[in-house]
């Protein structure tokens, strides 16, 4: 038994310091309130305190830290998107990731694995080539490769996919990575907490007070708070919160499911994604295959799982890796994805003064956690949109200026 | 929801259907403002609740209405448009 554990067994008090304090009660007023203690809310709190000196901040969470989509996602990190706005934004995020562990003094299990988006048809190959060119233009490491490179990176693959969907090529993105999602939330949470931010779990926001078009406070299950600034970072709950301030948005909620197998010896190094087969897969540091598919087909505000999902995904996994026929599925779960019509997020200022939105992150927002924290904290501190997120403001819809990331985000995560 | 009742074909597995979104009134494109039109095109009532939606039975090409609870995923009734 490791010595650490023995020490726990004999200590009368918990020998390790807790990750966060548990504040007794809410204060009457804060300079800013952040709704949602997922990665995005906690990262925003962290950078508000660290970079903008705002520490009289409360993060309110209806459940527990990281219990939303942050703790449910399949942790794929990449920046090979399609539009100039998207590529610049995600590239900044991938850079921030690289020294986050040092920043937090916490192991995030950040592992650069390389990311292949498989093309099974000529038209898919064409899209991959287009994406590779856009990426290269912006200095993102991305290239079109042939089936041989795919086979070299994942020797167990059936390159014909059971004969009905042969792999013709792939978009290869060397910086593609995975990380430990809980650690990301905890790292940001602890860093914010150490700088004086209060994190209140089991505290649900029930309403937001707006007077003369300006935010003045929030009502919670633990009492009322006065505050001039509210940041909503609540993913699948966004429509409920925007309703509290009377804002209409294009966001709609569909579940996204995922599952893992039992742990096995390491055999799959890269991250593989196939749009045609609706599969993406990577092997975690624990040895489990972490797998997902596309969005559930209709609106639902629940995190129920379905057998159809497991059956469909398992069948497609077997097309790619027939030798897995004896592998067992250990767990499955779902999260509520906040989708937008152009598959790009909605971020920044809103028509309600003091109400800021970080939403519409759907199925692909984990990778953006650091850069969302950076840009949203800047936006909240300065009262205007950060340069990098100007293209993502809610007002783009009434101007018909959509961002058009669908081609790169629909199954890719 | 695993089974949905098509008003023409009766109860069928949900995999036979496609979801068409919430039923929403369309403003008159000739008289409404650009802003009203954008609101109609893009914005949705994303909050949970009991909603009337369009559903399509793929095998028989039938569009119909369903009243559904979007939290419990329970269909209350289905009927053909008048
Ligand atoms: C199955 C699945 C797989 C995914 N895979 C990937 C992937 O591979 N790569 C990737 O980049 N992204 C992925 N995503 C998307 C990613 O998980 C999300 O975009 C991201 O985690 C959103 O983080 P967040 O902090 O904004 O939201 P969340 O982590 O959902 O946090 C929001 C929090 O707000 C709280 N909250 C809500 N309402 C209230 C209220 N009224 N009062 C107080 N608190 C409230 C919730 O309890 C929740 O904890 C995936 C998502 C799912 C569901």
């Amino acid at each position: 038994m490791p010595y650490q554990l023995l020490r726990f067994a004999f200590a009368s008090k918990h020998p390790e310091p807790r990750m966060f304090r548990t504040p007794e009660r809410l204060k009457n007023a804060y300079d800013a309130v952040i709704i949602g203690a997922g990665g995005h809310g906690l990262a925003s709190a962290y950078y508000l305190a660290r970079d903008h000196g705002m520490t009289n901040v409360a993060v309110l969470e209806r459940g527990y830290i990281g219990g939303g989509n942050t703790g449910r996602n399949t942790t794929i990190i990449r920046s090979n998107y399609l539009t100039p706005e998207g590529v610049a934004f995600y590239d900044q995020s991938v850079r921030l990731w690289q020294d986050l562990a040092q920043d937090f003094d916490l192991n995030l299990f950040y592992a650069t694995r390389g990311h292949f988006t498989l093309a099974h048809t000529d038209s898919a190959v064409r899209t991959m080539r287009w994406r590779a060119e856009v990426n290269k233009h912006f200095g993102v490491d991305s290239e079109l490769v042939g089936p041989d490179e795919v086979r070299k990176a994942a020797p167990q693959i059936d390159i014909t996919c059971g004969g009905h969907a042969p792999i013709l090529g792939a978009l290869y993105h060397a910086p593609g990575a995975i990380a430990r999602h809980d650690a990301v939330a905890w790292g940001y949470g602890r860093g914010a907490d150490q700088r004086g931010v209060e994190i209140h779990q089991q505290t649900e926001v029930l309403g937001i007070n707006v007077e003369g078009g300006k935010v003045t406070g929030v009502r919670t299950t633990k009492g009322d708070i006065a505050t001039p600034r509210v940041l909503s970072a609540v993913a699948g709950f966004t429509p409920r919160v925007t309703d509290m301030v009377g804002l209409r948005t294009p966001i709609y909620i569909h579940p996204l499911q995922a599952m893992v197998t039992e742990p096995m010896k390491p055999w799959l190094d890269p991250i593989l994604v196939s749009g045609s087969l609706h599969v993406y897969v990577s092997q975690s540091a624990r040895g489990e295959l972490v797998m997902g598919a596309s969005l559930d087909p209709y609106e639902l505000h629940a995190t129920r799982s379905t057998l159809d999902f497991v059956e469909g995904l398992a069948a497609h996994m077997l097309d790619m890796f027939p030798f897995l026929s004896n592998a067992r599925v250990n767990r499955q779960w779902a999260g509520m994805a906040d989708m937008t019509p152009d598959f790009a997020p909605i971020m920044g200022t809103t028509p309600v003064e003091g109400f800021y939105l970080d939403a519409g992150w759907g199925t692909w927002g984990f990778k953006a956690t650091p850069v969302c924290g950076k840009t949203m904290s800047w936006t909240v501190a300065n009262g205007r949109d950060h340069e990098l997120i100007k293209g993502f403001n809610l007002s783009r819809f009434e101007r018909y200026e959509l961002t058009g990331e669908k081609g790169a985000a629909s199954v890719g995560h | 929801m695993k089974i949905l009742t098509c008003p023409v074909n009766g109860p069928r597995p949900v995999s036979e259907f496609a979801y068409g979104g919430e039923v929403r009134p369309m403003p008159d494109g000739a008289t409404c403002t650009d802003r009203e039109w954008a609101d109609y095109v893009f914005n949705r009532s994303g909050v949970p609740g009991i909603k009337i939606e369009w559903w399509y039975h793929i095998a028989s090409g039938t569009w119909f209405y369903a009243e559904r609870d979007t939290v419990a995923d329970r269909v209350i009734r289905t009927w053909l448009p008048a």
Side-chain angles (χ1 to χ4, degrees):
Chain A
M1 188 192 290
Y3 171 68
Q4 278 251 321
L5 272 184
L6 265 179
R7 231 174 25 149
F8 276 113
F10 292 116
S12 57
K13 280 213 317 236
H14 201 282
E16 292 285 330
R18 308 290 299 188
M19 288 290 282
F20 327 94
R21 294 166 300 155
T22 306
E24 282 262 311
R25 60 173 62 86
L26 291 168
K27 289 197 275 193
N28 293 330
Y30 294 92
D31 294 335
V33 164
I34 296 174
I35 315 177
H40 287 219
L42 293 169
S44 303
Y46 174 84
Y47 293 116
L48 263 181
R50 198 195 75 176
D51 298 355
H52 304 282
M54 280 179 71
T55 54
N56 185 25
V57 172
V59 182
L60 309 181
E61 167 56 52
R62 73 199 284 274
Y64 57 94
I65 287 174
N69 289 355
T70 298
R72 298 164 189 272
N73 90 95
T74 46
T75 79
I76 298 174
I77 297 166
R78 64 186 179 91
S79 64
N80 54 351
Y81 280 77
L82 196 51
T83 61
E85 295 91 333
V87 174
F89 184 77
Y90 293 112
D91 191 42
Q92 182 64 32
S93 201
V94 171
R95 281 168 212 271
L96 279 169
W97 275 105
Q98 321 227 311
D99 46 34
L100 209 53
Q102 213 112 45
D103 226 21
F104 292 164
D105 191 20
L106 185 69
N107 190 351
L108 301 181
F109 292 84
Y110 186 91
T112 304
R113 298 286 194 85
H115 180 284
F116 288 87
T117 313
L118 305 175
H120 306 261
T121 61
D122 285 338
S123 68
V125 172
R126 248 189 334 267
T127 308
M128 300 309 162
R129 185 170 290 129
W130 173 24
R131 279 172 66 182
E133 291 310 317
V134 173
N135 290 168
K136 278 190 249 179
H137 180 74
F138 289 101
V140 175
D141 187 353
S142 200
E143 59 180 320
L144 187 73
V145 298
D148 284 349
E149 277 95 337
V150 176
R151 205 185 280 119
K152 214 179 296 159
Q156 296 83 351
I157 202 161
D158 174 357
I159 211 79
T160 71
C161 293
H164 61 83
I167 295 167
L168 305 180
L171 179 68
Y172 176 58
H173 178 49
I178 51 176
R180 173 120 192 260
H181 43 20
D182 295 327
V184 173
W186 298 338
Y188 275 121
R190 182 174 69 176
D193 177 81
Q194 283 168 345
R195 288 169 175 81
V197 170
E198 291 179 6
I199 303 171
H200 293 265
Q201 302 184 72
Q202 309 277 316
T203 308
E204 181 170 0
V205 172
L206 302 172
I208 300 173
N209 300 330
V210 179
E211 282 163 34
K214 285 188 195 166
V215 167
T216 58
V218 298
R219 301 188 296 279
T220 81
T221 47
K222 302 260 174 82
D224 296 355
I225 308 171
T227 184
R229 298 176 195 87
V230 170
L231 166 61
S232 170
V234 298
F237 295 84
T238 301
R240 303 183 212 198
V241 172
T242 47
D243 243 35
M244 295 174 190
V245 293
L247 267 189
R248 295 210 4 111
T249 78
I251 292 174
Y252 59 97
I253 309 297
H254 286 214
L256 181 68
Q257 305 193 48
M259 67 186 196
V260 296
T261 63
E262 59 195 334
M264 33 187 122
K265 284 184 184 168
W267 61 271
L268 182 66
D269 191 39
I271 304 156
L272 300 180
V273 178
S274 163
S276 312
L277 296 180
H278 305 287
V279 172
Y280 62 96
V281 56
S282 68
Q283 190 171 20
S284 75
R286 275 200 298 234
E288 302 158 325
L289 293 181
V290 181
M291 297 166 283
S294 33
L295 210 55
D296 278 13
Y298 59 88
E299 176 180 352
L300 187 63
H301 301 263
T303 52
R304 62 95 177 90
S305 306
T306 66
L307 182 61
D308 302 13
F309 166 79
V310 181
E311 284 178 340
L313 182 49
H316 285 134
M317 276 298 294
L318 291 181
D319 284 343
M320 285 164 70
F321 297 109
F323 83 99
L324 286 176
S325 58
N326 290 321
R328 270 182 279 254
V329 172
N330 253 9
R331 292 192 307 282
Q332 69 173 123
W333 65 90
M336 294 188 292
D338 41 334
M339 305 302 293
T340 63
D342 56 359
F343 284 69
I346 298 178
M347 297 177 77
T349 52
T350 66
V352 180
E353 201 180 321
F355 182 76
Y356 302 93
L357 203 52
D358 171 41
W361 278 108
T363 63
W364 61 91
F366 176 68
K367 67 181 70 62
T369 304
V371 70
C372 285
K374 269 269 187 190
T375 53
M376 286 312 302
S377 61
W378 194 97
T379 301
V380 170
N382 292 285
R384 61 197 157 88
D385 290 340
H386 185 281
E387 197 56 40
L388 271 179
I389 64 170
K390 282 191 173 150
F392 300 140
N393 195 282
L394 174 62
S395 61
R396 71 176 180 273
F397 297 100
E398 66 185 50
R399 294 194 310 270
Y400 299 86
E401 281 173 8
L402 274 57
T403 311
E405 275 295 359
K406 179 158 185 176
S410 51
V411 194
H413 303 273
Chain B
M1 174 176 55
K2 293 198 173 82
I3 291 180
L4 186 57
T5 302
C6 170
V8 175
N9 301 283
R12 314 291 304 174
V14 71
S15 56
E16 288 187 14
F17 296 88
Y19 170 69
E22 194 178 358
V23 177
R24 301 171 305 127
M26 185 169 77
D28 180 353
T31 57
C32 74
T33 64
D34 286 356
R35 211 167 220 252
E36 282 162 354
W37 188 251
D39 179 68
Y40 167 69
V41 172
F42 298 115
N43 289 339
R44 295 291 178 272
S45 135
V47 289
I50 292 174
K51 297 185 179 179
I52 296 176
E53 302 170 325
W54 283 109
W55 283 83
Y56 179 65
H57 183 238
I58 299 163
S60 67
T62 313
W63 279 105
F64 61 94
Y65 293 140
E67 187 176 18
R68 187 174 66 96
D69 177 339
T70 63
V71 179
D73 201 13
R74 221 184 46 245
V75 176
I76 298 156
R77 62 193 174 114
T78 56
W79 69 102
L80 287 174

